[in-house]
Structures are given as structure tokens and as C-alpha cells.
């Protein structure tokens, strides 16, 4: 360890208001010393030791106290102010200096010197360590309203609250001051210094006012802004999910700063979460849920900075008189009247937050791979608010018009309504909402949140790549999508026939990405036409590889190379690209999945006289969706189950038939795919063409040449399944190339997660996991629900498509529900889920109210406390601590008795 700077150590003790040699002295290993040591000389400290707490002094007044000339003193005082060990303001035309408390005060001032913070990461580490050292000491010790920092509600969250006071309004502080500055967030800067950034916006986000603004402007920590610009910063913070906190020791109704904080980076908010001590930072308000209005969309849950909100169940169980969500969270112990030690803390709060209560929430939300707020957009559609419904969908899925046509409808399979009569027509509702917008005069284009001057390359223009590009563009990145085919869309464009998903629909969704500034470069194969290193040299900071499973798999059969044999994927690609693919005569399709169905139905439209589908599985085991099987049968496709190909028969190099053998079983006793056959039961079926559709594979080409990226035996890419980062740090991945062939909605969900990771990766000091929401939504147990009181209502349906007409065209003849049907269908929703609030953990910031579209959550005033000036703090704390000791003495034996009688021996 370096030699201790004694004067600097003296200064650390002075700012801490303790004396060396006492029990509470600051030692060299403490963060109070460590934050000063790199940037403060003993000479600077010697001068600063003559300053007083919050009492301005000029250089002329300090010089005789430190034995230096006025000029020398002025120079050292200024250097100290720039370093952050004193404030400076020009008072009556003379620079005057004073010292502050550590927090809010010198810690922030020191870290906000950008040059020093970048040069000495230990400054941010010391700020972090200071909070960790002092945080446990404050648990239960501060009454509401008297913490050094305090949350102040988002003002529009309390607009209707008649009991509010002016000191609870952000506008009061901005209107009371005439000079303003804006700086980076000191907490998030410090987190970055130790590699624990959470991805939240930190640049130009915290506001200083009055004397603090003058100091920040003069010392280069912040830039001067107008009052109007300060209000704009407030709005930008709220739009980005940040809450407001103020230094709380300037006296009633006074403060010198407004910090715009997140739950995972803010050191003040850490008090509420790590040490479960929200009283020390809370406002006078708590959130209140109107369960009847709540639709469990989850927006409030994911924005809540303290994890006080979770999704729960609004529908009654058989053995309950009241729905679980209507039962408020009851905490048996609080720091106000309980000894509060490590067993009560939650130090891992940034990685262990939950989005749902233990008993679960709405099955539709839980089972959707993208966890869309389905109840929410159904309610908005019921109210005729179709644009708001679309906006809610696009928070998780940028392509509702696409998914409204091809989604596997996991949500409907899980829908609670299905246990009464038929599931809600969720996908048809989504399709109606998207269709309404597609044909409106004005498309919905999300607001771009930031302006990050960083380039990201997305390789592959399928659903995962497009989703990643969408969310990166909304976040403000310069995104270029590279696609080796002539058209973007990936398997949406080239693997799904137009009678299921018309190209105009895909292109309309892609147009929104172009409106967001995404650039598309088609006909370029990365790895062949341009390398990843070439792109790095063009200043692309990160890559998202989502090339999909674009290759068809063969079976390795005898005769497979014959003319007239092609994989189903290649066949669909040729048709979708408009290449010559005329078929004639008898066509055999091998496979039983959704792609095989598409291949068979497409074959009937390009000239096949007859189409037979052979698959190993029984009808019940077929992986294809039942709806798609029915559509194929209606178009006169013959389905032959439980037969597998043995060989392809050829004549003069061209296919003439296929020999099949009876499949006895597809899976072994452990459920693994391991078909067994009866080789004595075979048959030969004539064929003019054979389309093999038994799976898809990856076609890597030279894309990964020279990289550290690893592949699995099945050629999918290896990546971390939380961050989706590969062994090459700047390469991320998602979609089928990661998971193997799945549905578009699965790829879309992974694309958003990829965008989150890339945002964190390209910004210095960000953790890939800290503060990241784990969207592990789970459904409640439907077996115990009380559903007897609900009426049976018929599901609204679209008119049946005449298969005789549909098989003659590539147009999608399926219709859309009418607006009248939408009103009837949305009425069928049971509204299974609702948000549940932990009132104690709510700090009254109001962020939840800004994202709720249903007026289902509001702030109500529960406390009546306001800040005090620093000299008034100690007696109030002492009084509170004495009262708390009495409460603990009274309640402890009672709790011990309760534990004994309840069988809790702990």
C-alpha cells in the first residue's frame, strides 16, 4: 500500500465530522480516504482543512489560517474545487469556498469530474464502497422524510392528489431557481467504473440548481442549461423510465439538485433494496392498485425501481372468497420495529428481482414467448383504442401483422377461457389491431429514445434479426442489416408461402424499420462478399448473427440426388423468389411439420396433379398445427401417417417413385426420437417429384472464419442463454441459428434480448446481467379455479375459406374479424391477472403511473414528512432511534412467542 497522505486522511475525517484517534475515525482503508487519495495532494488538503461546513470563506480568510499567501491559497482552493473537495461560488464578487457532507455532496462532486473519473476508476469504486459501508448503519434509523436523499414523485402522478404539498412537486424547484446545469449521473458513472453498469441512460441526466449549478458550470462538471431545457431533461428521464430524487438536507422545500435515478444503479435507491430500508428514501406516497381496472400487462412491474410490483392472479380459487391479487402483501417484520441484520437484507437485488408472485399470473402472458401484455391489448381493443393497443404489442413484438397470420397461438392454448368454452381469439384480435393500422393513413412509428453514435451490424434479415434491429433503432443506434438473399424477411419472406403470409404485409412491417433509420443491404453474404473484420474496420461495434435455419435437410437415402428430388425449404425459396418451379404429375412430400404442410399446399398451386404427404408420426403425434393439417386436407392433399421412406426409386437419373416402410414407433421409451420400422411391411408409391421436408439446417459458409465462435454438433451456435453473447465478445446471436427451427415469435423475443445485450456491450462499463429483467413469467394453477359462475359465450370466428378457391391462388383469402366481432370477443376475456403491490417496498416515485394505459394504478399520500436543514437532523434522528428501541423491546418477545406457537423454531 502506498504511503498514507496524512493531511488527506485528516481531511477525510474532517468531512466525516469525526476525529482521528476516536472509535469512529476514518482509516486509510476506508472509501472516504480512498476517494481523495488519487486526486488530492497534502498541500490541497492542508488548505481545505481550514474550510468550514456550509460556511463560505474567501481565500483572504483562509490564507492566515493555513500560513500561505492569498495567491497560493486561492490557487490551491481552486484546484480543490475542481477536484471536488469543496464548493466554490462567487459571492459579492469574490470566490468563496466551503465543504459539504459526503453524500449528497463530495462523493458526487468528485465522480462528476469526468477527466478524473476516467483516469481513476477507483473514485467510482470508492463511492460505491462508501454506500456499502454506511448503508447497513442506516437501516431503521431514519424516519420517513429525513434521509439524506429523498424520492420526489413524478408530478403528473400526483396531479389529482388534493393533499399534495408544493415541496413534492418537481416544478416548484425548477421555478424557484434561475440558474441550472446538467451533468452525468454520478451513481451510474461509478457503477460503470467497476463494470457494474445497468444499461440505463447516464449522460446529461441529473440537474443542479442555484449554488450547485454555478459550481458545476464553473468547474466543468456540467453544462449550463435554461429552465425550459431543465424541464426537457425531466421529461426525457421520465420517458426513459427514470425517477426523481433530491438532496434532502437543505431545509424544508429547498434542494440544490434533481437526480434522475434508476432502481439498479442509484446508490440512494440501494438503501431501499439492498438493506430493505425504503423509509430512508421514500416520498410521502405509495402506489395503490385498482384491481378491477388492472389488466396485468406488466408494464408497471418492469419499470418499478424497487420490485414492489409483481403480477398475480385476479380470478378466485375454489377454496377462496377473494382473488389472490386482492390480498395485500403483509410483511411480518419491518426495520421500524425489528432488529435489522444481514438475514433481512437483499444484497443481490439487482439480479434476483421477480416479475410474478409465487402462485403465478395470467397464462396468456406467461406462455407467450415474447410475454406480450395480452390482457392489456385486449382491453384497449375493447375500448376502441387500437393505436394504443398496437403500441403495447410493439413493446415486445414489432411485427403484429405478421404474427397475426402465422403465430402458433401458445397464448390461446393456455387461455383460461378455454376451460369454460373456447379460448379467446387472441391472435385474431391482434390481427385486427395490426390490420387496422396497416390500412390507416398514418402508421405508428415509435419515438427514438436516444442518439447513440455507434454502428451495429445485423447479419440476417429474418424475424430475430429484424426484431433486434427494431429495438436497437428505437434505442438510437445506427443499424445496418445485411442479407444474402435479394429480399429481406428471411424465412418470413422465403420460407412461408404468400397464401399464409403475403409479402405486402412483411414489407409493410419492414417499412417501419426503414422509417426508424435502419439500412438494408441485400444480396450481400457476409463472410463471402465482405468479412466481419472488414465491417469492424468500418467501425461496426457489435454484430448480431441471425441467419436462421435456411438450409433444407436431406435423409441420406438411396436416390436422393435424382432429378425431381428437392428439399422443401429450397422449393419454397424458389417459389417465393419467383423462380421457375412448375410441377406436374404426382408429388410426394415427406415430412409432418408445418413446413411440410406449406410445401404440400404450395405444390398444389404450381401444377401438381396430386399431392401425397407421408410422415413417420401418427396423426396425433404430428408436429404440424391441427389447423394447418385441416387446411391441407381441405385442399385435397392426401395425408398418410406412420410410413417412412426407405429409398427413392429412379429411372435414367430421374425420380420415379419412393419405397416406404411401416413405422412402428417414432419415439423410444425415454421420449427420444428413435423410429423403428417393420421392414416386411413396405410399399412403392409412384412419383414425378419428391419434396423432402424433414427439418432445416444452418448454412454457415465463411461467415465465422477467423472467429472464436463455436458451434454445437447440430451446427447451431454456442452462446450464453441469458446474454446471447458468443465466445467472440462482439458477436451476439439469436433465432433459429441458436435454438434450432422454432416459430417466428420465438425468434422475435430473442431479437429483443439481443438488442438489450448489444446496448450494454457497446457502452463502457456495463454489466451484461446486472439490472436485467428476467422475464420468467409463470402461469397460475388452473386446476383449482372457481369458474362455475362465468357465462358461456360463443367465440367469434372468421368466415371459412373455400378450399376450392384457396388452392387456386397464392392470395391469403382468410379474413379479419369485424369491429362488432372484436367488441363481442374482447368481452369474453376473464381478466385473469392483476398487479400486486408490496406497499412497504414502494417508494412513491410514480414511474408505474406513467406507463399504465388503464388508470389502474395511482399514488396516494400516506405520509406527511418533509426534509430539514442539516443542523436540525441529528436531534430528530436521536428521538426516532430511542422510540425504535422501545418498539423492538416490546415486540421482540411477542414475536418469539408467536414463532413458538406457529412451530417456527428459528
Amino acid at each position: 500500500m502506498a504511503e498514507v497522505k496524512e493531511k488527506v486522511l485528516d481531511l477525510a475525517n474532517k468531512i466525516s465530522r469525526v476525529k482521528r484517534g476516536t472509535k469512529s475515525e476514518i482509516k486509510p482503508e476506508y472509501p472516504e480516504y480512498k476517494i481523495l487519495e488519487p486526486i488530492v495532494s497534502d498541500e490541497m488538503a492542508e488548505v481545505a482543512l481550514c474550510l468550514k461546513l456550509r460556511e463560505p470563506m474567501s481565500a483572504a480568510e483562509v490564507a492566515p489560517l493555513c500560513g500561505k499567501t492569498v495567491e497560493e491559497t486561492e490557487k490551491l482552493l481552486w484546484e480543490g474545487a475542481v477536484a471536488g473537495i469543496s464548493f466554490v461560488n462567487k459571492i459579492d464578487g469574490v470566490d468563496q469556498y466551503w465543504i459539504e457532507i459526503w453524500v449528497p455532496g463530495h462523493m458526487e462532486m468528485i465522480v462528476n469530474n469526468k477527466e478524473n473519473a476516467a483516469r481513476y476508476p477507483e473514485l467510482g469504486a470508492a463511492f460505491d464502497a462508501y454506500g456499502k459501508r454506511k448503508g447497513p448503519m442506516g437501516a431503521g434509523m431514519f424516519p420517513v422524510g429525513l434521509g439524506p436523499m429523498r424520492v420526489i414523485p413524478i408530478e403528473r402522478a400526483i396531479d389529482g392528489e388534493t393533499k399534495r404539498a408544493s415541496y413534492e412537486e418537481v416544478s416548484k424547484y425548477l421555478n424557484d431557481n434561475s440558474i441550472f446545469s446538467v451533468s452525468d449521473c454520478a451513481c451510474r458513472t461509478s457503477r460503470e467504473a467497476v463494470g457494474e453498469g445497468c444499461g440505463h441512460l447516464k449522460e446529461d441526466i441529473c440537474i443542479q440548481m442555484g449554488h450547485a449549478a454555478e459550481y458545476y458550470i464553473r468547474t466543468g462538471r456540467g453544462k449550463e442549461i435554461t429552465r425550459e431545457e431543465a424541464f426537457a431533461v425531466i421529461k426525457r428521464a421520465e420517458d426513459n423510465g427514470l425517477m426523481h430524487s433530491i438532496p434532502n438536507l437543505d431545509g424544508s422545500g429547498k434542494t440544490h439538485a434533481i437526480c434522475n435515478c434508476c432502481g439498479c444503479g442509484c446508490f440512494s435507491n440501494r438503501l431501499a433494496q439492498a438493506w430493505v430500508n425504503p423509509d430512508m428514501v421514500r416520498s410521502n406516497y405509495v402506489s395503490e392498485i385498482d384491481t378491477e381496472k388492472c389488466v396485468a400487462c406488466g408494464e408497471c412491474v418492469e419499470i418499478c425501481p424497487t420490485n414492489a410490483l409483481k403480477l398475480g392472479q385476479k380470478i378466485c380459487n375454489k377454496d377462496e372468497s377473494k382473488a389472490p391479487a386482492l390480498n395485500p402483501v403483509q410483511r411480518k417484520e419491518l426495520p421500524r420495529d425489528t432488529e435489522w441484520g444481514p438475514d433481512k437484507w437483499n444484497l443481490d437485488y439487482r439480479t434476483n428481482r421477480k416479475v410474478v408472485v409465487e402462485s403465478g399470473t395470467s397464462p396468456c402472458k406467461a406462455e407467450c414467448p415474447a410475454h406480450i401484455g395480452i390482457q392489456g391489448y385486449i382491453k384497449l381493443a375493447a375500448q376502441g383504442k387500437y393505436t394504443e393497443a398496437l403500441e403495447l404489442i410493439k413493446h415486445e413484438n414489432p411485427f403484429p401483422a405478421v404474427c397475426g397470420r402465422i403465430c402458433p397461438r401458445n397464448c390461446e392454448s393456455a387461455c383460461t377461457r378455454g376451460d369454460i368454452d373456447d379460448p379467446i381469439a387472441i391472435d385474431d384480435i391482434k390481427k385486427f389491431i395490426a390490420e387496422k393500422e396497416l390500412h390507416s393513413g398514418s402508421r405508428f412509428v415509435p419515438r427514438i429514445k436516444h442518439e447513440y453514435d455507434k454502428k451495429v451490424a445485423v447479419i440476417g434479415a429474418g424475424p430475430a434479426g429484424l426484431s433486434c434491429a427494431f429495438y436497437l433503432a428505437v434505442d438510437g443506434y445506427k443499424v445496418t442489416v445485411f442479407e444474402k438473399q435479394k429480399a429481406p424477411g428471411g424465412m418470413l419472406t422465403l420460407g412461408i408461402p404468400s397464401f399464409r403470409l403475403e409479402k405486402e404485409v412483411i414489407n409493410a412491417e419492414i417499412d417501419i424499420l426503414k422509417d426508424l433509420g435502419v439500412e438494408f443491404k441485400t444480396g450481400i453474404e457476409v463472410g463471402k462478399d465482405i468479412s466481419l473484420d472488414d465491417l469492424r474496420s468500418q467501425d461496426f461495434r457489435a454484430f448480431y448473427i441471425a441467419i436462421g435455419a435456411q438450409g433444407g435437410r436431406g435423409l441420406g437415402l438411396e436416390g436422393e440426388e435424382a432429378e425431381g428430388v428437392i428439399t422443401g425449404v429450397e422449393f419454397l425459396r424458389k417459389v417465393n423468389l419467383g423462380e421457375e418451379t412448375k410441377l406436374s404429375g404426382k408429388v410426394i412430400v415427406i415430412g409432418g411439420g408445418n413446413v411440410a404442410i406449406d410445401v404440400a399446399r404450395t405444390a398444389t398451386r404450381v401444377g401438381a396433379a396430386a399431392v401425397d404427404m407421408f410422415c413417420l408420426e401418427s396423426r396425433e403425434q404430428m408436429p404440424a398445427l391441427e389447423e394447418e393439417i385441416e387446411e391441407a386436407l381441405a385442399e385435397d392433399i392426401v395425408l398418410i401417417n406412420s410410413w417412412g421412406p426407405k429409398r427413392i426409386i429412379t429411372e435414367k437419373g430421374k425420380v420415379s417413385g419412393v419405397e416406404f416402410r411401416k413405422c412402428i414407433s417414432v419415439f423410444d421409451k425415454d421420449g427420444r426420437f428413435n423410429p423403428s420400422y417393420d421392414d416386411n411391411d413396405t410399399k412403392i408409391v409412384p412419383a414425378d417429384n419428391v419434396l423432402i421436408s424433414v427439418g432445416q439446417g444452418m448454412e454457415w459458409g465463411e461467415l465465422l472464419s477467423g472467429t472464436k465462435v463455436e458451434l454445437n454438433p447440430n451446427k447451431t451456435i454456442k452462446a450464453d442463454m441469458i446474454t446471447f453473447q458468443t465466445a467472440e465478445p462482439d458477436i451476439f446471436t439469436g433465432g433459429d441459428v441458436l435454438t434450432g427451427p422454432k416459430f417466428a415469435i420465438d425468434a422475435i423475443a430473442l431479437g429483443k434480448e439481443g438488442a438489450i445485450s448489444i446496448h450494454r456491450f457497446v457502452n463502457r462499463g456495463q454489466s451484461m446481467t446486472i439490472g436485467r429483467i428476467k422475464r420468467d413469467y409463470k402461469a397460475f394453477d388452473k386446476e383449482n379455479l372457481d369458474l362455475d359462475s362465468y357465462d358461456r359465450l360463443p367465440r367469434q370466428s372468421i368466415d371459412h375459406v373455400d378450399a376450392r378457391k384457396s388452392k387456386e391462388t397464392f392470395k391469403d383469402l382468410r379474413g379479419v374479424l369485424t369491429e362488432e366481432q372484436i367488441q363481442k370477443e374482447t368481452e369474453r376475456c376473464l381478466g385473469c391477472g392483476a398487479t400486486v403491490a408490496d406497499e412497504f417496498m414502494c417508494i412513491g416515485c410514480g414511474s408505474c403511473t406513467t406507463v399504465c394505459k388503464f388508470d389502474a394504478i395511482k399514488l396516494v399520500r400516506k405520509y406527511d414528512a418533509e426534509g430539514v436543514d442539516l443542523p436540525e437532523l441529528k436531534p430528530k434522528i436521536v428521538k426516532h432511534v430511542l422510540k425504535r428501541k422501545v418498539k423492538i423491546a416490546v415486540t421482540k418477545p411477542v414475536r418469539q412467542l408467536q414463532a413458538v406457537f406457529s412451530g417456527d423454531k428459528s
Side-chain angles (χ1 to χ4, degrees):
M1 183 176 176
E3 185 178 345
V4 174
K5 298 177 180 177
E6 294 296 334
K7 294 293 185 183
V8 174
L9 186 57
D10 287 340
L11 180 60
N13 277 272
K14 179 182 178 71
I15 295 172
S16 303
R17 291 176 289 163
V18 297
K19 294 182 179 180
R20 294 185 68 174
T22 64
K23 184 179 178 181
S24 53
E25 73 169 318
I26 301 303
K27 299 177 181 178
E29 61 269 26
Y30 286 9
E32 292 92 327
Y33 172 76
K34 287 186 174 182
I35 200 167
L36 300 179
E37 193 276 335
I39 58 170
V40 180
S41 66
D42 271 335
E43 222 177 5
M44 289 162 62
E46 186 179 6
V47 172
L49 282 166
C50 299
L51 296 175
K52 297 178 181 179
L53 176 65
R54 295 190 174 183
E55 292 186 27
M57 299 175 67
S58 66
E61 292 172 303
V62 174
L65 301 176
C66 63
K68 299 182 184 298
T69 66
V70 172
E71 292 75 15
E72 189 177 6
T73 302
E74 185 78 64
K75 175 177 177 294
L76 291 169
L77 284 171
W78 177 255
E79 289 175 358
V82 171
I85 61 172
S86 67
F87 265 112
V88 60
N89 270 196
K90 195 169 287 294
I91 302 173
D92 297 328
V94 178
D95 279 345
Q96 301 205 32
Y97 302 81
W98 67 93
I99 59 172
E100 256 296 342
I101 58 175
W102 282 116
V103 174
H106 291 294
M107 291 282 174
E108 291 92 340
M109 293 157 63
I110 290 170
V111 171
N112 276 135
N113 181 311
K114 293 184 180 181
E115 185 179 333
N116 281 346
R119 184 183 302 169
Y120 304 110
E122 58 265 41
L123 302 181
F127 189 5
D128 178 31
Y130 175 82
K132 289 176 178 175
R133 190 172 92 81
K134 304 291 278 190
M137 303 177 189
M141 301 298 183
F142 284 76
V144 173
L146 293 186
M149 293 289 295
R150 186 181 186 186
V151 170
I152 185 167
I154 290 172
E155 194 162 332
R156 66 180 183 272
I158 57 173
D159 278 346
E161 175 58 62
T162 57
K163 294 182 290 183
R164 69 178 182 173
S166 61
Y167 61 80
E168 293 160 335
E169 299 170 356
V170 172
S171 60
K172 168 199 160 31
Y173 299 105
L174 295 181
N175 290 326
D176 281 355
N177 286 278
S178 58
I179 178 171
F180 306 90
S181 64
V182 65
S183 72
D184 292 354
C185 169
C187 296
R188 294 193 284 282
T189 297
S190 299
R191 295 285 200 186
E192 288 181 7
V194 294
E196 294 185 1
C198 58
H200 279 104
L201 178 70
K202 87 167 194 305
E203 290 79 14
D204 292 340
I205 200 64
C206 290
I207 297 168
Q208 299 79 39
M209 300 169 290
H211 74 268
E214 180 185 332
Y215 166 74
Y216 265 63
I217 294 164
R218 290 186 62 192
T219 59
R221 282 165 167 74
K223 61 184 180 184
E224 185 170 7
I225 58 174
T226 64
R227 180 181 288 110
E228 290 71 27
E229 288 171 323
F231 273 109
V233 171
I234 293 295
K235 184 179 185 306
R236 183 163 63 107
E238 293 172 3
D239 288 346
N240 282 278
L242 302 178
M243 62 177 182
H244 312 308
S245 295
I246 59 171
N248 195 41
L249 299 176
D250 290 359
S252 176
K254 298 177 182 177
T255 193
H256 60 270
I258 301 173
C259 301
N260 293 310
C261 312
C262 63
C264 35
C266 175
F267 291 146
S268 174
N269 196 34
R270 175 167 61 183
L271 297 167
Q273 298 187 83
W275 296 286
V276 194
N277 186 29
D279 283 354
M280 194 167 172
V281 299
R282 70 167 75 251
S283 76
N284 283 326
Y285 294 83
V286 293
S287 59
E288 185 179 88
I289 312 293
D290 185 334
T291 311
E292 287 302 310
K293 292 181 178 179
C294 181
V295 295
C297 66
E299 297 292 300
C300 62
V301 170
E302 297 196 8
I303 202 173
C304 177
T306 59
N307 203 197
L309 304 176
K310 300 179 182 69
L311 289 189
Q313 177 182 333
K314 189 164 65 175
I315 199 165
C316 287
N317 291 323
K318 291 175 183 176
D319 55 351
E320 295 173 336
S321 60
K322 194 160 65 169
L326 299 178
N327 295 316
V329 176
Q330 298 288 347
R331 287 179 172 263
K332 294 180 180 179
E333 297 179 319
L334 301 175
R336 301 165 184 170
D337 57 8
T338 307
E339 291 175 342
W340 212 248
D343 60 316
K344 310 288 195 302
W345 301 346
N346 181 23
L347 299 182
D348 295 326
Y349 71 95
R350 290 188 293 161
T351 55
N352 67 8
R353 67 179 285 152
K354 304 289 186 184
V355 292
V356 66
V357 298
E358 283 301 315
S359 56
T361 189
S362 311
C364 58
K365 172 90 173 175
E367 296 306 320
C368 172
H371 303 299
I372 300 170
I374 292 169
Q375 262 183 252
Y377 75 71
I378 288 176
K379 175 62 76 174
L380 289 167
Q383 297 170 346
K385 298 177 179 177
Y386 303 122
T387 300
E388 291 92 333
L390 184 87
E391 182 180 357
L392 181 59
I393 294 169
K394 287 201 169 190
H395 284 182
E396 313 300 342
N397 176 5
F399 313 119
V402 167
C403 288
R405 289 160 168 80
I406 62 169
C407 193
R409 307 182 181 186
N410 295 356
C411 52
E412 293 187 22
S413 299
C415 178
T416 309
R417 183 86 210 187
D419 292 356
I420 299 174
D421 38 46
D422 292 311
I424 306 295
I426 296 170
D427 215 40
D428 286 332
I429 295 171
K430 178 169 69 217
K431 183 179 180 182
F432 173 89
I433 293 166
E435 199 76 8
K436 193 95 173 166
E437 192 258 356
L438 280 180
H439 296 101
S440 69
S442 176
R443 300 289 307 280
F444 170 71
V445 181
R447 176 186 56 82
I448 295 175
K449 297 178 182 178
H450 315 299
E451 290 184 19
Y452 291 111
D453 190 25
K454 295 182 175 73
K455 293 166 64 179
V456 177
V458 173
I459 301 166
L466 293 175
S467 174
C468 182
F470 175 90
Y471 289 109
L472 284 171
V474 169
D475 222 16
Y477 289 96
K478 300 179 186 303
V479 184
T480 303
V481 179
F482 295 87
E483 169 57 56
K484 76 174 183 179
Q485 300 295 343
K486 292 184 288 186
M491 295 301 283
L492 298 176
T493 300
L494 304 179
I496 299 176
S498 291
F499 56 80
R500 286 187 59 222
L501 179 59
E502 291 182 319
K503 305 302 171 260
E504 292 82 359
V505 173
I506 305 168
N507 292 335
E509 300 277 49
I510 290 173
D511 283 344
I512 299 299
L513 273 75
K514 293 177 180 177
D515 289 342
L516 288 167
V518 176
E519 182 180 359
F520 287 87
K521 294 190 175 182
T522 55
I524 295 178
E525 183 176 349
V526 177
K528 177 183 176 183
D529 302 315
I530 191 170
S531 70
L532 291 173
D533 280 340
D534 291 334
L535 294 175
R536 288 186 181 104
S537 70
Q538 294 175 27
D539 205 27
F540 283 95
R541 305 289 185 87
F543 304 91
Y544 188 71
I545 293 180
I547 62 171
Q550 72 277 42
R553 281 184 178 163
L555 289 167
L557 299 174
E558 175 189 338
E560 199 170 299
E561 300 302 319
E563 182 185 344
V565 180
I566 187 174
T567 66
V569 170
E570 182 62 23
F571 169 68
L572 290 175
R573 181 182 296 120
K574 287 177 178 292
V575 172
N576 282 316
L577 285 173
E579 297 177 10
E580 182 61 41
T581 47
K582 189 73 175 172
L583 299 180
S584 61
K586 175 73 170 289
V587 173
I588 287 177
V589 175
I590 299 172
N594 293 310
V595 175
I597 297 283
D598 285 344
V599 169
R601 294 181 67 195
T602 300
T604 66
R605 288 162 169 78
V606 294
V611 179
D612 289 354
M613 270 188 71
F614 286 81
C615 66
L616 296 175
E617 300 88 354
S618 67
R619 172 66 184 272
E620 295 72 28
Q621 293 173 318
M622 283 181 68
L625 297 174
E626 182 63 27
E627 178 186 347
E628 296 198 30
I629 296 172
E630 293 293 343
E631 288 172 345
L633 293 174
E635 292 182 359
D636 299 322
I637 291 161
V638 178
L639 177 59
I640 302 155
N641 295 96
S642 302
W643 288 88
K646 185 175 183 181
R647 66 188 176 102
I648 293 173
I649 300 167
T650 64
E651 291 182 12
K652 297 180 181 179
K654 188 179 187 312
V655 63
S656 62
V658 181
E659 182 178 5
F660 289 94
R661 53 184 173 171
K662 185 69 175 178
C663 181
I664 301 170
S665 65
V666 179
F667 304 101
D668 62 21
K669 59 184 178 61
D670 296 319
R672 291 177 299 221
F673 180 77
N674 188 17
S676 60
Y677 303 93
D678 180 354
D679 284 321
N680 295 317
D681 190 356
T682 64
K683 60 181 176 182
I684 294 175
V685 181
D688 297 293
N689 291 275
V690 175
L691 306 177
I692 300 173
S693 188
V694 293
Q696 296 159 240
M698 320 309 155
E699 294 181 348
W700 286 107
E702 299 300 313
L703 174 57
L704 301 178
S705 295
T707 73
K708 299 174 185 174
V709 175
E710 301 174 56
L711 301 179
N712 294 303
N714 67 351
K715 302 302 181 185
T716 55
I717 197 167
K718 286 185 178 180
D720 183 282
M721 293 307 290
I722 294 175
T723 68
F724 306 101
Q725 189 174 33
T726 69
E728 191 77 66
D730 63 352
I731 296 178
F732 298 79
T733 190
D736 289 355
V737 78
L738 173 71
T739 62
K742 296 185 84 171
F743 293 102
I745 188 62
D746 298 281
I748 287 166
L750 292 179
K752 181 175 182 181
E753 291 297 322
I756 291 169
S757 289
I758 288 171
H759 163 67
R760 287 168 174 251
F761 174 77
V762 299
N763 287 287
R764 187 183 71 86
Q766 305 303 310
S767 162
M768 300 298 287
T769 56
I770 286 174
R772 188 175 189 137
I773 296 173
K774 295 177 183 175
R775 311 187 77 225
D776 48 357
Y777 291 97
K778 66 176 183 178
F780 51 64
D781 179 9
K782 294 200 293 179
E783 297 300 316
N784 192 37
L785 298 180
D786 181 6
L787 301 175
D788 293 339
S789 61
Y790 292 96
D791 293 335
R792 272 61 177 165
L793 297 171
R795 173 177 166 131
Q796 300 297 305
S797 58
I798 298 165
D799 290 340
H800 179 71
V801 175
D802 186 338
R804 290 172 300 176
K805 294 181 179 178
S806 67
K807 66 185 291 186
E808 300 297 329
T809 179
F810 274 97
K811 287 188 174 298
D812 185 354
L813 300 182
R814 295 170 297 173
V816 182
L817 292 175
T818 66
E819 193 155 3
E820 182 182 359
Q821 286 180 301
I822 287 293
Q823 294 307 307
K824 290 180 179 178
E825 189 61 20
T826 54
E827 287 176 9
R828 298 179 66 240
C829 181
L830 302 178
C832 298
T835 298
V836 180
D838 181 343
E839 185 183 285
F840 175 70
M841 285 304 298
C842 174
I843 55 177
C845 67
S847 292
C848 53
T849 68
T850 68
V851 295
C852 181
K853 297 178 182 294
F854 307 94
D855 194 29
I857 189 165
K858 63 181 180 179
L859 292 188
V860 295
R861 201 167 197 263
K862 180 173 182 177
Y863 305 97
D864 187 20
E866 54 185 306
V868 298
D869 203 355
L870 182 60
E872 303 169 36
L873 180 63
K874 186 173 181 180
K876 290 183 179 292
I877 296 297
V878 170
K879 183 179 178 181
H880 173 78
V881 169
L882 291 175
K883 283 185 177 180
R884 177 174 179 263
K885 284 186 176 181
V886 172
K887 288 180 183 178
I888 292 173
V890 171
T891 59
K892 187 173 183 180
V894 175
R895 288 202 177 104
Q896 289 172 336
L897 282 172
Q898 289 172 337
V900 169
F901 286 113
S902 67
D904 182 1
K905 305 301 183 185
S906 62

